[in-house]
Amino acid sequence: MLSVLVLAQAMTAVDAERAFNRAAQIEGQWTAFRRYADDNAVMFVPEQKDARAFLEPLKDPPIAVQWWPADSFVSCDGSFAVNTGPWVRPGASGYFTTVWKRQDDGGWKWVYDGGDTLTTPRALPETPRVRRASCSGKPGTTEISPYYAIGRGASRDGTLRWGWTVAANGARVFDAELWNGSRFETVVRDRIAGQP
C-alpha cells in the first residue's frame, strides 16, 4: 500500500497526461475521459459542458484521439498544473489545454479540458518542457481577472491561475498565468474563434 502511495505522489502532471492518453488508446477515448475527470470538471465540445454529464452516455469511437504534452506549467506547491500540446485523429489535428488537480492520494484528475483544430499540428518537443512557478515573493491575489466570468481557478498557493470566458457567438478565451517571483506571466493563451 505504501509503495502505491509513493508512486502516486511521484507522478507528475506530464505522467498523468501520458497515462490518460494511453488509457484512451487501450480502454477507449470516452472511458478514459470519464476515469480521469474530476467531479467538477468542465470541457469544451465546442461549447462548455459539465464533463461528467456530457461524458456519461457517450460510446467510445473506434479510433481514439491521440495527444501528447508539449508544455507543463506547475504551481510552486504542486497542487495544480496546466498542460498543453498537439492532438491528432484521422482527418484532423489541433491542440489541447488541460488543467490538472493533484488528488489527496497524490494522483491527478483533470478539471478543465479545451482546445481547437489546426490545419497543422503544433510542434512536439523531444521531451515536454516543464516550468514550475517561483516559490519566492508573494503572489498577492490568487484571483485571475474578473474578465474571466465564466470560469477561473488558482492553485492552493496562488502561484498558478487560469480563467476562461465565452462570447455569445461561441468564441472563447483561455489564459493561464504563472508566478515568476515578482509578477504573473501569461504562459498559455488560447483564442478560439466563434461562429460568424
Side-chain angles (χ1 to χ4, degrees):
M1 179 67 166
L2 183 59
S3 63
V4 172
L5 184 58
V6 169
L7 282 174
Q9 290 175 341
M11 179 180 269
T12 68
V14 167
D15 296 331
E17 197 79 61
R18 287 176 171 157
F20 180 22
N21 175 55
R22 195 168 35 258
Q25 308 315 306
I26 296 168
E27 301 167 19
Q29 178 175 310
W30 300 127
T31 299
F33 269 76
R34 283 188 290 270
R35 180 154 68 95
Y36 282 86
D38 183 79
D39 289 340
N40 299 309
V42 297
M43 62 190 302
F44 286 85
V45 291
E47 66 281 346
Q48 182 176 330
K49 297 285 187 183
D50 170 272
R52 291 283 183 184
F54 174 77
L55 293 167
E56 186 58 38
L58 296 182
K59 303 276 188 241
D60 294 318
I63 299 174
V65 64
Q66 294 187 60
W67 67 96
W68 305 269
D71 294 284
S72 184
F73 303 97
V74 186
S75 63
C76 168
D77 66 1
S79 63
F80 282 87
V82 176
N83 291 346
T84 189
W87 62 259
V88 296
R89 69 174 181 247
S93 64
Y95 71 90
F96 72 91
T97 299
T98 309
V99 178
W100 289 90
K101 177 183 178 184
R102 188 177 288 278
Q103 304 298 294
D104 291 340
D105 67 359
W108 295 87
K109 297 278 188 175
W110 62 268
V111 296
Y112 170 95
D113 182 72
D116 200 9
T117 58
L118 297 171
T119 54
T120 304
R122 286 182 176 171
L124 182 64
E126 196 165 311
T127 59
R129 297 174 291 248
V130 178
R131 184 166 164 209
R132 191 174 207 100
S134 173
C135 296
S136 65
K138 288 266 191 204
T141 180
T142 59
E143 284 289 321
I144 198 164
S145 166
Y147 165 77
Y148 299 99
I150 301 297
R152 57 184 183 239
S155 60
R156 292 180 192 121
D157 66 354
T159 60
L160 175 65
R161 59 191 191 183
W162 60 90
W164 67 92
T165 190
V166 181
N169 70 350
R172 65 186 190 274
V173 173
F174 174 90
D175 283 335
E177 299 175 341
L178 195 68
W179 179 249
N180 71 9
S182 60
R183 65 181 177 80
F184 281 98
E185 293 178 36
T186 300
V187 291
V188 177
R189 175 159 280 163
D190 294 340
R191 301 290 184 263
I192 295 91
Q195 301 300 316

